[in-house]
């Protein structure tokens, strides 16, 4: 049966040894976020995930949500789990103190997001969306609106959704048709149909706030004419949040999905529903994007969370399952057969999973730390640099960690053989659940276009500076005579891969200027190349920390493991960059030349 | 007849501007005005005006300001008397009679009138006067606007017409368009219609002024000021005056008369002093936010109230990227506006042939040169298709002009064989004849295939064995592809004794070249490819040296901006033929680096070899240092000579259209069977650290005075290190190669400093320099 134990040792390594999490408490507003506070909070969160959320994962998947008389019911146990979640204060974790939040760093929220996704992704989507709505209203809403809704979102008594997609408007939100008419009293009436609305209706909270993209009557067409509205499921009468009558929002159907079945995915009909404008008229998409950025990071963490739990499952199975003998003779002669873990190909798969997962965790938390620097650092340049690094890496993290999440879940299934393909073992659920993370919040193809089309050209590539320059300096240092031989051996292949990345960037920038197809046709390969180099950079830094700890006499086997895995990553996974580089250099013609009819 | 001396009567904006431009052309001018002291005041005003009417302040010495009574005594030696007094027929008639009594026999008198017919001006004047009289209609500002409309009377002497036309063309650099004696001539006749239609339609269709300017601007190749921005520029008060007098002079059924109607908002603005940029602001204004920062305001046409200016966002503008017809056919108010303004304007223009000219090319040239339209009206109709245009007019219920019907779906212009032809009102095509000595690269490009091309540059044949290198990158920035094309040209021309004899570097972009493609350099920088940046620098030096050492003439012909690497390519050419309006400079220090494609080395050599320079090693170093450290940009080709960016051997062409022919002629004149490239500069005795220290003290003094910033000092010291020869002393000679190596070394040091990066980032983001 699946099992999940939060990887607290590795989390502590990343936070404490790699990222020096104690520095967070030096940032204004985070004075209380000392390791003494952070680690107990994380341990408490781990307990909730392991004991409350994880046991509902398989049953929630089997049962799914149901729609009865226009109301959606979540799987058995979800409402109680949600109560435990808000009673534990987890919705308040990274909300501002003035809204009743705990005001803890984003980085801590990142850890929780990963653990919740491991334990029960379908459940995690409900509070995750509320957090997105909280951020959007906090950033773009008027004061009165903030007073009215933010405390409710923070304490978890109300939930939120993001209503973007319509039947004809998916990736291309310029096609949105939902209308918003001023009601003459400062509010708006929203009319239209939204589909694929996660957490669109449920039985977890007394109210739901829908963030809706819609057009005002005088709006220009296309993406410049879209405004953002907040539409409550139940009307709100006053600032105290007293609930009135039901708003004209109804759930018109539930989707039957491949995975995340415990999460309700709704068709929502708005029939002149009352709503508030959030932000400026016609500026809805930029406002929505600030929220989508956070959401994309969260989806990356979902990919990581699924990969982690799948790996734990596969590792346990590889230790327990006895099949065949090691090729050079029995390693466990007193047992009827050797466990799977002795077999080279099984080890290859396990190490691949481990390398991706631990590298991905380091990368994700590193970004989380920069989010906190962007928000809180007293020095303007540091804030700007951190913000630019985060902006650059958002599409990388989202697409890389969700693609790898699926790959890792698939490898976990593979290790199980036929037992992975049947439902009882629970492993196939992770493959199904992981699949959506590559699709929603902007498909991974869209992430790649965001990277080459928006992030690279921004300020002629300045965003890259914050990633490339420190890495170039590290590699130069480790390339010099007299460098630590263990680290130098890890740095050499990374330097090669980094060179490919540098050159590929220049190629795409130059070719893309002349022909946008050139950039777009290389985008997905480039994103993966970037992602692998980024994982390599984090692996090198982890190895360096581990090496220093060992040199200082540390005996924690985790450090030795870091060096082993770093070596595996550089030798067995990083060489993919060579193939990706060749594919990028191949150019767009091979993709664009064939006429549409010839497909 | 030659024109040796001119008199301008009337020292207002136009008269004084014309006088300044005559001075730019080297013609001594008597400037006079009926109001005592006005001419002297005008010269003082000219020296302060922006954009500068003089190509160099020294040119003012060619103007002699005198009061009218004295002028009447002194203008007896003038070959050309230009009248630019108030638009009053009585005043002009009196003046003409006075002038006629004192002027030199055979001298030409011309009027700059824009509203009074020639027939009226010569009425009652002597026959002799009428035979020497014509209208020369300049556009404001006379130095910069390239159109000159020339109207001759029935009895004007052909030699007089030829002499003025030739002088205007060659010496003043104007595009002369011969006009009939019809109201408003060509440019203002059509331009005023367009302006009036555009104002009316903006009110009628409820557009914001930003929307109106965005539609009636870039999509049509009209100046990006659009209509309301243009009105602010020319002055709101001028409009009722121009439209009123034009309408009064036109036939009762002329469609323009129906357009003129009172605009209460416009009247109110003029009354309140909002006459445009010369007044308190106009449709656009600068205001301040509560925090004191500046903000651009725009006027709301419906309410007349100010509000913050906003970028126009219209679906039709998006659609316009897919072609002009998509804009016209769009259903939103932008499409409606385009239809309401441009369809009648283009139809009006088409109806004016043959009334104002027999020649559609003359009409197109008038609007291009006089209103800065990128395409003339007939070229615009061709972009739409004459058939589409006729159909659309019919759909809109507008009459189809006879010329458009005669086109019957054929374009107004076509290329037949290698000749450009224009449709005439006889329904047949006739060749578009360029005047002798005019060579247009656009014609060559229409008529032939490039010898070679890549995304950033192309090679064309100019005939007679001359190859032309054209930059085609954005703003003609220099990148590896440009260098590859230079190498290609060098290889093709070989020793200059084969089919190719010479290379001309020329293009017809707005800027000759704004220098290195900083964006590409920044990408290399941002990903940390330092070595490749150093390689690019070395590559540029190699390429420019190869040009300098080519065994055949290399002539560069800049017009507009030639900055940074674009200036260095001039320094390494064998000769330069520059358009008078060339703005040349080594501006690298502005972005925190120094000229490293040989700019420091070449300019220092040039200053050192100046035979008239003061003695000792420091004067040429100090002069070079000042020019480079202050990033001086010439205000004209004339000014560039004074900065040593050009030498006295380099030629200057006043007329943009003649630049290429002049450059080609220059290249062919240089060529001989045993041509040798210019010798490399001799090694220089440079002072090394002691000289560097002297310059550093100067920089520090400037910093103490607050005239130089901290990073200015860092950059200037790097320049000083190169110019003083690094770690040398006066007993050693420093070779060109050593100086080039110093350029590379100091460049690479500067490019890695954060303050330099901030400068480059800022320029790339805002287009403006950062003072840090």
């Amino acid at each position: 049966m699946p099992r999940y134990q939060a990887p607290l040792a590795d989390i502590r390594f990343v936070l404490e040894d790699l990222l020096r999490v104690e520095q967070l408490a030096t940032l204004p507003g985070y004075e209380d976020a000392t390791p003494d506070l952070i680690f107990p909070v994380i341990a408490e969160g781990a307990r909730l995930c392991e004991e409350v959320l994880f046991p509902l994962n398989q049953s929630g998947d089997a049962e799914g949500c149901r729609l009865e008389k226009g109301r959606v019911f979540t799987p058995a146990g979800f409402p109680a789990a949600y109560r435990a979640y808000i009673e534990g204060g987890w919705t308040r974790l990274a909300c501002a103190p003035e809204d009743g939040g705990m005001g803890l760093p984003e980085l801590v929220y990142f850890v929780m997001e990963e653990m919740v996704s491991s334990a029960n992704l379908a459940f995690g989507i409900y509070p995750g969306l509320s957090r997105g709505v909280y951020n959007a209203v906090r950033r773009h809403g008027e004061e009165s609106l903030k007073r009215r809704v933010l405390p409710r979102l923070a304490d978890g008594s109300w939930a939120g959704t993001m209503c973007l997609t319509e039947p004809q408007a998916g990736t291309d939100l310029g096609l949105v048709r939902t209308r918003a008419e001023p009601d003459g009293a400062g509010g708006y009436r929203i009319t239209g149909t939204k589909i694929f609305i996660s957490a669109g209706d449920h039985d977890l909270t007394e109210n739901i706030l829908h963030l809706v993209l819609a057009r005002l009557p005088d709006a220009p067409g296309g993406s410049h004419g879209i405004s953002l509205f907040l539409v409550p499921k139940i009307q709100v009468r006053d600032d105290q949040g007293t609930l009135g009558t039901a708003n004209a929002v109804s759930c018109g159907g539930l989707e039957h999905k491949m995975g995340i079945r415990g999460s309700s995915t709704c068709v929502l009909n708005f029939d002149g529903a009352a709503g508030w404008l959030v932000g400026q008229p016609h500026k809805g998409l930029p406002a929505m994007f600030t929220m989508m950025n956070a959401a994309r990071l969260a989806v990356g963490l979902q990919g990581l969370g699924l990969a982690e739990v799948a790996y734990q499952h596969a590792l346990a199975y590889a230790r327990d399952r006895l099949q065949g003998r090691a090729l050079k003779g029995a390693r466990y002669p007193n047992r009827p057969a050797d466990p799977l873990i002795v077999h080279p190909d099984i080890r290859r798969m396990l190490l691949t999973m481990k390398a991706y997962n631990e590298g991905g965790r380091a990368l994700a938390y590193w970004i989380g730390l920069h989010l906190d620097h962007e928000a809180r650092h007293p020095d303007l340049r540091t804030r700007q640099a951190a913000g630019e690094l985060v902006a650059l890496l958002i599409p990388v993290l989202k697409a890389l960690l969700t693609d790898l999440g699926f790959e890792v879940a698939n490898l976990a299934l593979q290790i199980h053989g036929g037992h992975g393909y049947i439902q009882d073992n629970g492993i196939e659920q992770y493959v199904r659940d992981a699949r959506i993370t590559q699709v929603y919040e902007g498909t991974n193809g869209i992430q790649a276009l965001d990277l080459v089309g928006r992030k690279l050209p921004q300020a002629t590539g300045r965003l890259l500076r914050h990633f490339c320059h420190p890495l170039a300096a590290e590699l130069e240092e480790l390339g010099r005579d007299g460098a630590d031989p263990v680290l130098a051996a890890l740095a050499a292949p990374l330097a090669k891969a980094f060179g490919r990345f540098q050159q590929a960037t220049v190629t795409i920038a130059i070719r893309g200027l002349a022909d946008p197809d050139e950039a777009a046709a290389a985008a997905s390969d480039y994103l993966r190349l970037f992602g692998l180099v980024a994982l390599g950079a984090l692996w090198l830094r982890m190895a360096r920390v581990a090496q220093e700890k060992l040199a200082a006499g540390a005996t924690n086997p985790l450090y030795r493991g870091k060096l082993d895995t770093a070596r595996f990553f550089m030798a067995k996974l990083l060489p993919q960059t060579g193939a990706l580089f060749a594919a990028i250099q191949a150019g767009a013609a091979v993709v664009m030349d064939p006429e549409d009819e010839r497909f | 007849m030659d024109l040796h001396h001119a008199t301008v009567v009337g020292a207002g904006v136009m008269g004084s501007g014309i006088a300044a431009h005559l001075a730019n052309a080297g013609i001594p001018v008597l400037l006079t005005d009926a109001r005592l002291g006005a001419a002297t005041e005008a010269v003082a005003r000219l020296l302060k005006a922006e954009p500068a009417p003089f190509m160099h302040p020294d040119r003012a010495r060619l103007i002699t300001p005198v009061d009218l009574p004295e002028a009447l005594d002194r203008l007896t030696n003038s070959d050309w008397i230009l009248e630019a007094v108030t638009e009053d027929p009585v005043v002009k008639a009196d003046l003409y009679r006075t002038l006629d009594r004192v002027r030199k026999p055979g001298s030409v008198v011309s009027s700059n009138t824009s509203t009074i017919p020639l027939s009226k001006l010569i009425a009652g004047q002597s026959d002799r006067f009428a035979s020497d009289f014509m209208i020369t209609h300049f556009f404001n500002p006379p130095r910069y606007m390239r159109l000159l409309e020339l109207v001759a009377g029935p009895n004007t002497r052909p030699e007089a017409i030829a002499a003025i036309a030739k002088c205007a063309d060659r010496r003043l650099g104007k595009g002369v368009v011969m006009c009939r004696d019809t109201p408003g001539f060509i440019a203002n006749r059509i331009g005023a219609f367009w302006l009036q239609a555009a104002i009316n339609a903006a009110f009628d269709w409820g557009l914001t002024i930003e929307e109106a300017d965005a539609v009636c601007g870039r999509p049509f190749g009209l100046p990006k000021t659009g209509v309301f921005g243009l009105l602010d520029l020319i002055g709101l008060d001028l409009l009722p005056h121009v439209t009123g007098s034009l309408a009064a002079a036109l036939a009762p059924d002329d469609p323009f008369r129906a357009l003129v109607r009172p605009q209460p908002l416009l009247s109110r603005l003029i009354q309140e002093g909002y006459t445009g940029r010369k007044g308190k602001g106009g449709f656009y204004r600068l205001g301040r936010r509560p925090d004191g920062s500046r903000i651009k305001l725009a006027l709301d046409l419906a309410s007349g109230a100010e509000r913050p200016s906003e970028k126009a966002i219209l679906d039709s503008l998006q659609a316009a990227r897919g072609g002009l017809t998509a804009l016209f056919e769009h259903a939103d108010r932008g499409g409606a506006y385009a239809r309401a303004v441009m369809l009648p304007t283009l139809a009006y223009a088409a109806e004016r042939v043959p009334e104002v000219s027999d020649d559609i090319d003359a009409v197109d040239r008038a609007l291009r040169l006089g209103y800065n339209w990128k395409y003339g009206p007939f070229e615009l109709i061709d972009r739409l298709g004459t058939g589409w245009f006729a159909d659309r007019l019919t759909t809109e219920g507008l009459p189809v002009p006879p010329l458009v019907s005669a086109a019957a779906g054929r374009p107004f212009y076509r290329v037949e064989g290698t000749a450009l032809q224009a449709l005439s009102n006889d329904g047949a095509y006739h060749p578009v004849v360029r005047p002798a000595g005019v060579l247009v690269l656009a014609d060559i490009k229409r008529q032939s295939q490039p010898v070679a091309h890549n995304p950033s540059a192309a090679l064309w044949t100019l005939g007679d064995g001359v190859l032309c290198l054209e930059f085609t990158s954005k703003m003609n920035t220099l990148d590896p592809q440009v260098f590859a094309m230079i190498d290609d040209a060098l290889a093709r021309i070989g020793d200059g004794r084969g089919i190719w004899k010479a290379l001309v570097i020329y293009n017809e972009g707005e800027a000759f070249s704004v220098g290195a493609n900083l964006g590409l350099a920044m990408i290399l920088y941002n990903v940390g490819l330092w070595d490749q940046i150093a390689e690019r620098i070395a590559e540029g030096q190699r390429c420019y040296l190869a040009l300098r050492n080519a065994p055949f003439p290399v002539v560069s012909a800049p017009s507009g901006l030639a900055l940074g690497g674009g200036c260095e390519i001039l320094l390494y050419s064998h000769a330069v033929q520059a358009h008078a309006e060339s703005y040349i400079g080594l501006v690298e220090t502005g972005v925190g680096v120094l000229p490293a494609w040989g700019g420091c080395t070449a300019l220092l050599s040039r200053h050192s070899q100046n035979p008239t320079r003061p003695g000792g090693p420091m004067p040429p170093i100090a002069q070079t240092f000042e020019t480079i450290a202050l990033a001086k940009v010439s205000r004209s080709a004339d000014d560039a000579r004074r900065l040593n960016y050009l030498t006295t051997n380099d030629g200057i062409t006043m007329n943009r259209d003649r630049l290429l022919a002049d450059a080609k002629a220059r290249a062919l004149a240089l060529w001989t069977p045993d041509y040798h490239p210019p010798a490399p500069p001799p090694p220089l005795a440079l002072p090394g650290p002691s000289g560097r220290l002297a310059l550093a003290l100067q920089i520090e003094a400037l910093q103490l005075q607050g005239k130089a910033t901290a990073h200015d000092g860092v950059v200037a010291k790097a320049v000083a290190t190169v110019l003083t020869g690094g770690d040398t002393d006066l007993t050693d000679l420093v070779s060109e190669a050593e100086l080039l190596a110093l350029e590379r070394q100091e460049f690479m040091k500067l490019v890695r400093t954060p303050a330099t990066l901030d400068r480059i980032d800022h320029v790339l983001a805002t287009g403006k320099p950062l003072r840090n």
Side-chain angles (χ1 to χ4, degrees), chain A residues 221 381 460 465 469 502-503, chain B residues 315 525-527 532 758 761:
Chain A
R381 287 186 82 114
T460 48
R465 196 181 292 170
H469 287 198
Q502 290 172 304
Q503 207 55 56
Chain B
D315 289 348
Y525 174 83
N526 284 326
V527 299
Q532 289 190 21
D758 287 347
D761 281 346

Side-chain angles (χ1 to χ4, degrees), chain B residues 592-768:
Chain B
V593 293
L594 50 72
W597 282 340
C600 294
T601 305
L603 198 63
L604 177 63
S605 304
R606 209 170 253 197
H607 276 290
S608 303
Q609 290 172 62
N610 178 358
T612 64
R613 71 175 179 82
M618 278 313 277
I621 294 172
Q623 285 167 340
T624 312
F625 177 73
E626 189 183 322
T627 303
I628 292 176
L630 299 181
K632 287 189 178 174
V633 177
S634 76
R635 286 158 294 176
S636 62
D638 187 9
D639 191 34
R641 276 189 180 153
R642 296 162 211 253
L643 293 168
N644 246 329
Y645 290 137
L646 297 179
T647 70
T648 47
N649 287 328
D650 295 325
I652 295 176
T653 298
M654 289 295 279
N655 191 333
R656 181 70 184 79
D657 289 343
R658 296 185 174 277
L659 182 61
L660 181 56
D662 288 354
K664 179 186 164 189
R666 186 75 198 274
L668 287 173
L670 284 172
W671 187 87
T672 59
D674 56 349
Y675 179 81
H676 290 292
L684 297 171
L686 297 172
S690 64
R692 186 161 78 225
L693 189 65
L695 294 177
L697 289 173
Q698 283 181 28
I699 303 160
E700 280 156 21
L702 285 175
Q703 285 177 322
L704 283 175
Q705 294 164 33
K707 289 180 185 164
T709 64
H711 197 56
D712 287 342
V714 174
V715 178
K717 283 174 191 172
V719 175
T721 302
V722 176
L723 296 179
T724 53
D727 289 326
T728 182
D729 64 58
L730 283 172
T731 61
D732 257 346
L733 288 176
V734 183
S735 69
E736 181 182 46
E738 287 166 321
L739 280 172
L740 291 173
L742 278 171
E743 284 185 4
R744 296 196 299 272
Q745 170 196 311
E746 294 302 310
F747 181 96
M748 289 309 296
K749 276 189 204 159
L750 285 176
V751 84
R752 289 184 79 155
T753 60
T756 285
L757 287 173
D758 287 347
R759 286 190 179 192
I760 298 177
D761 281 346
H762 196 263
V763 161
L764 286 172
T766 67
K768 297 189 180 94

Side-chain angles (χ1 to χ4, degrees), chain A residues 4 11 106-119 121 131 293-309 357 360-368 371 394 396-403 405 437 440:
Chain A
Y4 174 64
I11 290 171
E106 279 297 323
L107 183 53
V108 180
Y109 182 80
F110 266 43
V111 176
M112 191 62 186
E113 182 80 36
E114 183 208 313
M115 295 191 301
V116 170
S117 300
S118 289
L121 175 59
R131 167 124 178 99
N293 280 337
R296 287 176 173 178
L297 290 171
V299 173
L301 289 162
Q302 293 175 3
L304 173 64
L306 291 173
E308 172 63 33
V309 70
N357 290 359
R361 179 171 298 118
L363 179 62
Y365 293 4
W366 185 58
I367 294 171
L371 266 181
I394 283 172
V396 178
L397 190 84
K398 194 276 178 181
L400 180 77
L401 292 200
T402 58
D403 281 352
T437 62
Y440 63 16

Side-chain angles (χ1 to χ4, degrees), chain B residues 53-290:
Chain B
F54 291 115
M55 291 182 173
H56 191 278
D58 283 358
R59 292 281 166 185
R61 291 187 204 148
L62 283 172
I63 300 184
T64 310
V66 292
D67 292 331
L68 189 58
E70 190 189 341
L72 293 176
D73 292 337
R74 293 178 58 173
L75 60 73
T76 51
N77 65 340
S78 281
D79 305 301
W80 183 9
I81 302 165
L82 287 106
E83 170 273 307
V85 304
T86 180
E87 292 279 81
D88 181 338
V90 180
V91 173
K92 289 189 199 269
D94 285 348
L95 176 66
Y96 294 166
R97 274 188 285 274
T98 310
L99 290 174
D100 204 19
R101 281 199 298 276
V102 297
R103 71 189 178 96
K104 178 160 95 178
S107 61
V108 175
V109 181
S110 73
S111 173
N112 187 53
T113 184
S114 52
T115 55
I116 307 172
L118 184 138
S119 55
K120 200 166 181 178
L121 291 175
I122 55 172
Q125 303 291 345
S126 70
D127 288 349
R128 197 187 63 137
F129 183 85
S131 71
D132 289 340
F133 183 78
M134 66 191 76
I135 289 171
T136 50
H137 182 220
F138 286 83
F139 283 69
N140 191 28
R143 171 180 167 188
Y144 298 96
M145 293 304 291
R146 291 188 49 221
L147 179 61
L148 181 75
E149 290 178 323
L150 206 157
V151 186
N155 299 318
T156 311
R157 289 185 293 120
E159 317 86 78
I161 300 170
I164 296 299
K166 184 177 169 191
C167 172
D169 173 348
R170 312 258 173 164
R171 298 180 70 184
L172 302 181
K174 297 299 157 205
V176 177
V177 173
M178 299 299 295
C179 299
R180 298 218 161 98
D181 191 17
T182 53
F185 314 126
I186 299 178
N188 282 347
R189 178 80 174 273
I190 294 165
F193 186 101
W194 168 66
L195 276 173
Q196 193 64 54
I199 295 168
N200 292 352
F203 283 96
D204 294 348
W205 290 96
L207 275 80
T208 67
I209 61 174
E210 293 95 326
E211 288 168 350
D213 289 350
V215 174
C216 267
R218 210 162 273 169
F220 290 95
L222 304 176
K224 65 173 187 225
T225 50
V227 176
F228 293 97
L230 179 63
L231 286 171
D232 282 353
L233 205 63
I234 61 179
L236 272 55
D237 49 337
L238 205 65
L239 187 77
H241 185 70
V242 171
T243 52
S245 65
L246 182 58
L250 291 171
D253 63 343
D254 191 285
F256 180 70
R257 297 181 70 138
L259 280 184
V260 180
R261 65 191 198 199
Q263 290 295 1
L265 179 63
L266 194 63
S267 315
R268 201 192 84 202
L269 288 174
I270 296 169
Q271 235 169 35
E272 291 172 357
Y274 289 106
T275 52
R277 292 201 200 172
K278 65 181 177 183
K280 300 193 289 187
F283 290 100
Y284 295 98
R285 298 160 190 187
L286 280 179
R288 287 198 184 276
R289 291 193 186 85

Side-chain angles (χ1 to χ4, degrees), chain A residues 179 188-192 231 235 247-249 269-275:
Chain A
R179 287 173 290 120
Y188 294 85
R189 295 278 165 190
I190 317 295
T191 304
V231 180
Q235 305 222 39
N247 205 352
V249 187
N269 294 315
F270 296 84
D271 300 304

